[in-house]
């Protein structure tokens, strides 16, 4: 069973999408040709996105490592990055069965009207496996591990429903799509609270600076392409220990700037493929629901947040937060995590934040700043259990990607930096049965609330 699901995950999004979309398209009557083309476009989109992300990682990684050496930064939690974190999560006892377990939970909730999201984002199920794995290794109980993973999955599905309409209204071409990824969903309460708090500040509610507004106000200085070049050059300069070295490394510094600018320019172009691939499936799904299930509205296909990370505000804020995050990691008391590999995933903080801030750059930056500070401490907090999981997986697989350097603990900003991971882990590990009770009651309350909301929407649709 473990080998079967490891094989499925090993196919990756680029191969899985044509298969999933072809099957899904045939089920909803779209036809083989259109279904396959939809999947191929989304699959190609993932290929393009992985190439651009690899460009960012290969350009930024060595530069940041040089900065760490020059300034002798001594932080003892090693950044493994999301690929290694996913490998650790999937190669544990929880990860081996996470796909069938979560799909079963999804089907049960759909039948009970506890959700309207069909989560086909299979490769991101590693987030649920991750929280299950760290709880499993902390408690030495497979039951507690699966409990943590299932609780996280249910909460994520409900939040995907609650944010679906707002998400679809904000992003163009995302009709019928929701984002059931816990890393993104975990920041929704913060986005809502911080946005309300900022609106209460006199003048802030009238401060409308989105990415397009920055272009109009600051001209070339507001362009993500130009900002990418500037930040890349600034990081390049930090890799130099003296003024004379800056002169010697001018080609390298300018090259780093161009590569960062290229990432900012290419990501939006790649994400257009996602929209083109999703539109036929989304339209056909809505038509089918309208014909066959007149009393059921709002069914959403759960997809990866990669679909929308090309939004200009996401690019601008993510880029500005990279140097800020490095600075905070060094100065924050009690933090032991230095994010390096995880910085390439900065874009994924904001897919469900932007619908609340309405793309406002200032508000989005403030939300990002708060969650990054919280994330650094959460990674530090979870690192002991994550290290146990990484050592166990390395002992069984001998995969160098999951090995932890001697004298370091393991960490990753991806999901380990999410409030979901910290809260669920704390309840399961520290509060035990009391914490389990709190999680069960809270989760059931969310499901009941969502079911009532869905029933009201269905009733209104029947009247219309």
């Amino acid at each position: 069973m473990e080998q079967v699901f490891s094989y499925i995950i090993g196919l990756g999004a680029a191969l899985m999408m044509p298969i999933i979309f072809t099957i899904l398209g045939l089920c909803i009557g779209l036809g083989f040709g259109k279904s396959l083309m939809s999947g191929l476009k989304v699959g190609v989109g993932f290929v393009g996105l992985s190439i651009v992300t690899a460009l960012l990682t290969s350009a930024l990684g060595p530069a940041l490592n040089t900065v760490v050496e020059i300034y002798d930064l001594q932080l003892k939690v090693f950044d493994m990055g999301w690929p290694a974190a996913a490998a650790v999560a999937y190669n544990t006892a929880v990860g081996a069965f996470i796909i069938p377990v979560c799909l079963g939970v999804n089907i049960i909730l759909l039948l009970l009207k506890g959700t309207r999201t069909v989560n086909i984002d299979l490769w991101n199920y590693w987030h649920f496996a991750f929280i299950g794995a760290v709880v499993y290794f902390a408690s030495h109980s497979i039951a507690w591990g699966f409990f943590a993973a299932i609780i996280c999955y249910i909460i994520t599905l409900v939040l995907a429903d609650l944010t679906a309409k707002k998400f679809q209204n904000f992003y163009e071409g995302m009709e019928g799509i929701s984002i059931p990824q816990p890393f993104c969903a975990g920041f929704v309460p913060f986005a809502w609270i911080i946005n309300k708090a900022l609106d209460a500040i006199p003048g802030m509610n009238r401060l409308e600076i989105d990415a397009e507004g920055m272009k109009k106000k600051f001209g070339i200085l507001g362009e993500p392409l130009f900002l990418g070049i500037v930040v890349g050059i600034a990081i390049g300069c930090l890799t130099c220990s003296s003024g004379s070295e800056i002169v010697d490394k001018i080609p390298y510094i300018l090259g780093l700037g161009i590569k960062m600018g290229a990432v900012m320019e290419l990501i939006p172009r790649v994400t257009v493929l996602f929209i083109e691939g999703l539109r036929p499936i989304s339209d056909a799904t809505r038509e089918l629901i309208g014909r066959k299930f007149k009393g059921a509205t709002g069914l959403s296909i759960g997809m990866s947040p990669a679909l929308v990370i090309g939004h200009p505000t996401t690019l601008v804020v993510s880029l500005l937060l990279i140097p800020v995050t490095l600075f905070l990691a060094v100065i924050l008391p009690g933090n032991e995590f230095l994010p390096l590999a995880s910085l390439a995933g900065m874009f994924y903080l904001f897919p469900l934040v932007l619908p609340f801030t309405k793309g406002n750059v200032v508000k989005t930056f403030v939300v990002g700043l708060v969650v990054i500070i919280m994330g650094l401490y959460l990674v530090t907090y979870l690192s002991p259990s994550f290290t146990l999981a990484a050592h166990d997986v390395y002992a069984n697989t001998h995969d160098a990607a999951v090995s932890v350097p001697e004298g370091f603990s393991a960490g990753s900003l991806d999901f380990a930096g999410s409030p979901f991971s910290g809260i669920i882990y704390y309840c399961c590990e520290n509060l035990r049965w009391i914490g389990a009770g709190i999680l069960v009651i809270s989760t059931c309350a969310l499901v009941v609330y969502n079911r009532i909301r869905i029933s009201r929407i269905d009733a209104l649709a029947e009247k219309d």
Side-chain angles (χ1 to χ4, degrees):
M1 190 67 124
E2 181 180 352
Q3 290 176 349
V4 169
F5 289 106
S6 295
Y7 177 78
I8 292 173
I9 293 303
L11 292 177
L15 290 178
M16 284 297 294
M17 274 289 78
I19 298 171
I20 291 174
F21 270 48
T22 301
I23 296 172
L24 182 60
L26 290 172
C27 291
I28 61 178
L30 184 61
F32 178 78
K34 290 183 178 179
S35 303
L36 180 60
M37 280 305 299
S38 290
L40 288 173
K41 285 184 178 180
V42 176
V44 170
F46 275 108
V47 171
L49 190 61
S50 65
I51 292 172
V52 176
T53 305
L55 172 63
L56 176 64
T57 304
S58 63
L60 201 57
L64 294 177
N65 285 328
T66 303
V67 172
V68 170
E69 292 175 4
I70 290 175
Y71 297 97
D72 193 26
L73 303 180
Q74 299 293 325
L75 297 171
K76 295 300 182 182
V77 178
F78 176 70
D79 187 0
M80 300 185 71
W82 78 262
V88 169
Y90 274 130
N91 282 284
T92 60
V94 177
F97 294 93
I98 198 67
I99 292 180
V101 168
C102 286
L103 285 177
V105 171
N106 200 163
I107 292 170
I108 292 170
L109 287 176
L110 286 167
L111 294 173
L112 295 175
K113 285 190 177 181
T115 186
R116 277 285 163 78
T117 292
V118 182
N119 186 4
I120 65 171
D121 187 19
L122 299 180
W123 45 93
N124 273 325
Y125 275 37
W126 75 264
H127 291 92
F128 310 111
F130 178 90
I131 185 59
V134 294
V135 170
Y136 165 55
F137 278 93
S139 63
H140 305 289
S141 169
I142 189 69
W144 277 102
F146 273 113
F147 171 77
I150 291 169
I151 287 290
C152 185
Y153 189 72
I154 295 173
I155 293 173
T156 302
L157 284 177
V158 173
L159 283 177
D161 284 348
L162 298 179
T163 57
K165 187 57 64 178
K166 210 171 186 67
F167 172 83
Q168 294 162 13
N169 290 338
F170 180 78
Y171 293 103
E172 185 179 353
M174 290 294 123
E175 294 81 4
I177 304 298
S178 64
I179 304 296
Q181 191 204 46
F183 183 62
C184 297
F187 303 125
V188 167
F190 295 89
W192 183 78
I193 293 170
I194 294 172
N195 187 64
K196 290 287 186 184
L198 291 175
D199 282 342
I201 300 174
M204 182 62 76
N205 59 345
R206 295 191 298 272
L207 186 63
E208 298 180 2
I209 304 179
D210 59 9
E212 292 301 319
M214 285 185 63
K215 293 178 185 178
K216 293 177 182 177
K217 189 167 185 177
F218 300 107
I220 190 174
L221 297 177
E223 291 280 354
L225 168 61
F226 186 77
L227 285 172
I229 293 173
V230 171
V231 171
I233 290 174
I235 293 174
C237 290
L238 288 175
T239 65
C240 304
S241 55
S242 64
S244 59
E245 190 177 355
I246 291 178
V247 176
D248 295 335
K249 294 178 67 174
I250 284 178
Y252 168 76
I253 294 170
L254 294 178
L256 183 60
I258 291 295
K259 288 177 182 177
M260 292 288 286
V263 170
M264 297 300 108
E265 185 69 17
L266 290 174
I267 285 180
R269 298 178 185 271
V270 169
T271 53
V272 170
L273 287 167
F274 293 127
I275 297 173
E276 292 178 358
L278 281 170
R279 186 170 285 119
I281 293 288
S282 178
D283 292 343
T285 302
R286 289 201 308 276
E287 290 175 8
L288 178 66
I289 292 171
R291 290 195 314 268
K292 302 289 185 180
F293 308 98
K294 293 184 179 179
T297 59
L299 185 69
S300 299
I301 300 172
M303 287 292 293
S304 168
L307 306 179
V308 294
I309 63 169
H311 192 280
T313 298
T314 294
L315 296 175
V316 169
V317 175
S318 300
L319 188 67
L320 295 176
L321 277 174
I322 287 175
V324 172
T325 301
L326 291 171
F327 178 71
L328 289 172
V330 175
I331 66 166
L332 286 175
N335 172 60
E336 297 179 7
F337 176 62
L338 180 65
L340 294 175
S342 294
L343 292 177
M346 190 75 73
F347 306 105
Y348 293 90
L349 290 174
F350 303 107
L352 291 181
V353 170
L354 263 60
F356 290 88
T357 63
K358 296 180 180 178
N360 186 296
V361 172
V362 176
K363 292 180 178 179
T364 305
F365 182 85
V366 173
V367 175
L369 192 62
V370 171
V371 300
I372 282 295
I373 293 173
M374 175 186 63
L376 292 174
Y377 284 115
L378 283 173
V379 175
T380 301
Y381 171 59
L382 289 172
S383 62
S385 294
F386 188 19
T387 305
L388 289 175
H391 283 318
D392 181 80
V393 171
Y394 179 73
N396 288 299
T397 65
H398 301 289
D399 183 358
V402 300
S403 65
V404 182
E406 188 175 349
F408 285 83
S409 299
S412 175
L413 194 60
D414 306 88
F415 195 50
S418 166
F420 278 2
S421 58
I423 292 171
I424 294 174
Y425 178 85
Y426 181 80
C427 287
C428 292
E429 176 58 16
N430 295 91
L431 301 181
R432 302 297 286 180
W433 293 107
I434 294 175
I438 293 171
L439 289 174
V440 169
I441 292 171
S442 302
T443 303
C444 288
L446 278 173
V447 172
V448 170
Y449 169 77
N450 198 37
R451 190 181 190 282
I452 293 171
R453 187 186 66 88
I454 289 170
S455 299
R456 287 176 178 171
I457 293 172
D458 289 349
L460 289 173
E462 285 183 1
K463 288 181 181 179
D464 293 338

